[in-house]
Amino acid sequence: MPSTPSSNRSFLYSKYFWGFVLLGIFSTQAIYRTAQSRIWQTDTIIAPSTAPPPSTMSKAATPSQSPSRMPVYFLGIGGPNFMEAKDHPAFLKLGEIGREITTKVKPKAVVVFSAHWQHGPSTVAINVAEKMDLIYDFYGFPPHYYEYEYPNTGSREVAENVIEKLSIAGIGVDRVHRGLDHGVWVGFLAAFDPKKNPLNVPIVQVSLLGNEDPDQHYRIGQALEKLRDEGVLIIGAGMVVHNLHDFRKARSSTKVMPYASSFEEGVKEAVSVKPEDRQAAMMALLKRSDAKAAHPSLEHLLPIHIAAGAAGSDVGQRLWALPEGSLNWAQYRFGAVAAV
């Protein structure tokens, strides 16, 4: 698998590249609200707020070795067209990472945060359903897109464990029953092909907060770090660079936007600092001159703040990156993976 954009340039400007533009046209905040209207909310848990002190920036650190606990992943996941772009480099890379997870990491369950589910300003929602349909939270695609299936089950036990840890940290939680949105299942079709590489463990989805505060999302990750010692894998699903406005403007262009590379480089540096300095480094990303261009809105970036918060003493590393137009498909992991 090549890891540089130059070797894939002929593909990058093919029909698949512009197919992803449709995601920006049809997957809007209105769609999220439509999908969320299907949710049945049952109750709320709110605890007193606690917050760790901020830290300061430092130089990059060497990835630590902690194979006895689960690593944490941030996966760059595309829109509806992505599930049929099976020769796209990011699709193939997600397949590699998925095989790493099923053959080496071997989690007992997965807790996932998607860019496509935001909840209250100070409250997250958690799916406590054990049987879940898929949410087709996109419009205007070919009819067969709405016939895709992704076998999955939830876990009330894992969900209650997450609720307990979040409430202890002072984070409000709403229990809901819903399906998996496409911000999870489209990418999981690539990573965990149901026929070739099934995940075969429960999936519990937790929402983002309904705000753009990266520090609050980092603290969500911190609250859930101990899940990693219980065999639960934490995954953030989004994109490290995501500007759909520029995607629409540049339909007839083959240009890769400068921020698609520069901002991702900043993220790589931030996740690789010493763990005690990482929270401040992640916050500093939003002060960069290219931050607003890379993320006009932050929902696709916030999942990596959660992943970084859950990393604890483990240093992050970029597994792979690919700038494409006004996107970047970078994939990250925090923590080591034991050899088989």
Side-chain angles (χ1 to χ4, degrees):
M1 165 62 59
S3 61
T4 62
S6 59
S7 61
N8 296 307
R9 196 169 300 277
S10 63
F11 176 84
L12 297 184
Y13 311 120
S14 69
K15 62 181 179 180
Y16 294 116
F17 177 79
W18 297 114
F20 290 111
V21 178
L22 292 172
L23 174 60
I25 299 173
F26 300 111
S27 298
T28 63
Q29 292 298 322
I31 294 170
Y32 304 153
R33 289 192 292 270
T34 300
Q36 288 174 0
S37 69
R38 301 172 57 180
I39 297 172
W40 169 41
Q41 299 187 6
T42 58
D43 56 3
T44 304
I45 297 176
I46 301 176
S49 177
T50 59
S55 53
T56 56
M57 185 91 68
S58 81
K59 296 180 180 179
T62 301
S64 58
Q65 299 298 314
S66 54
S68 61
R69 62 182 348 208
M70 295 287 105
V72 182
Y73 288 86
F74 174 79
L75 303 181
I77 289 177
N81 291 73
F82 186 65
M83 60 190 171
E84 297 196 343
K86 296 184 178 181
D87 54 351
H88 191 288
F91 192 102
L92 299 172
K93 179 55 66 174
L94 277 174
E96 291 181 15
I97 294 172
R99 289 187 292 275
E100 174 179 278
I101 290 171
T102 58
T103 63
K104 296 181 180 180
V105 179
K106 299 179 180 179
K108 297 177 181 178
V110 170
V111 169
V112 61
F113 294 83
S114 158
H116 291 263
W117 187 17
Q118 294 172 281
H119 197 58
S122 59
T123 305
V124 298
I126 184 167
N127 187 12
V128 298
E130 296 194 345
K131 294 183 179 180
M132 298 177 288
D133 295 326
L134 300 185
I135 299 176
Y136 302 94
D137 49 339
F138 46 83
Y139 298 108
F141 289 85
H144 71 275
Y145 276 46
Y146 306 93
E147 297 173 1
Y148 268 85
E149 296 181 355
Y150 182 74
N152 68 94
T153 59
S155 169
R156 184 75 185 223
E157 180 182 358
V158 173
E160 292 297 333
N161 192 6
V162 171
I163 290 168
E164 180 182 5
K165 287 176 170 56
L166 290 175
S167 61
I168 289 172
I171 299 165
V173 187
D174 286 344
R175 293 180 177 88
V176 304
H177 289 72
R178 77 193 297 268
L180 282 181
D181 61 63
H182 85 273
V184 177
W185 65 262
V186 166
F188 277 28
L189 278 172
F192 309 110
D193 184 300
K195 295 181 179 179
K196 299 178 180 178
N197 184 43
L199 184 57
N200 288 338
V201 300
I203 300 170
V204 174
Q205 185 176 359
V206 186
S207 77
L208 305 178
L209 293 166
N211 66 47
E212 293 196 334
D213 187 332
D215 204 45
Q216 288 186 33
H217 287 84
Y218 195 97
R219 291 168 185 163
I220 290 173
Q222 288 177 317
L224 299 180
E225 180 192 350
K226 291 183 179 180
L227 290 173
R228 300 171 56 200
D229 299 315
E230 302 170 18
V232 178
L233 179 67
I234 298 171
I235 295 177
M239 290 199 86
V240 76
V241 175
H242 185 264
N243 185 326
L244 294 178
H245 175 73
D246 283 354
F247 225 118
R248 298 185 199 107
K249 281 197 327 183
R251 292 181 189 182
S252 59
S253 172
T254 59
K255 181 180 180 181
V256 175
M257 303 302 290
Y259 59 78
S261 296
S262 64
F263 188 80
E264 189 279 327
E265 285 289 338
V267 173
K268 180 180 74 75
E269 293 172 5
V271 302
S272 63
V273 300
K274 293 179 180 179
E276 60 267 28
D277 300 329
R278 183 170 54 229
Q279 187 170 3
M282 295 296 292
M283 282 292 293
L285 286 171
L286 278 301
K287 298 178 181 179
R288 292 174 54 97
S289 61
D290 55 357
K292 192 64 177 178
H295 288 279
S297 58
L298 298 184
E299 73 282 345
H300 280 75
L301 184 66
L302 293 173
I304 199 171
H305 286 269
I306 294 173
S313 61
D314 287 313
V315 175
Q317 63 180 118
R318 175 214 279 161
L319 300 178
W320 183 80
L322 177 67
E324 185 175 16
S326 58
L327 309 175
N328 195 302
W329 297 91
Q331 318 287 342
Y332 291 84
R333 185 182 69 225
F334 299 83
V337 173
V340 176

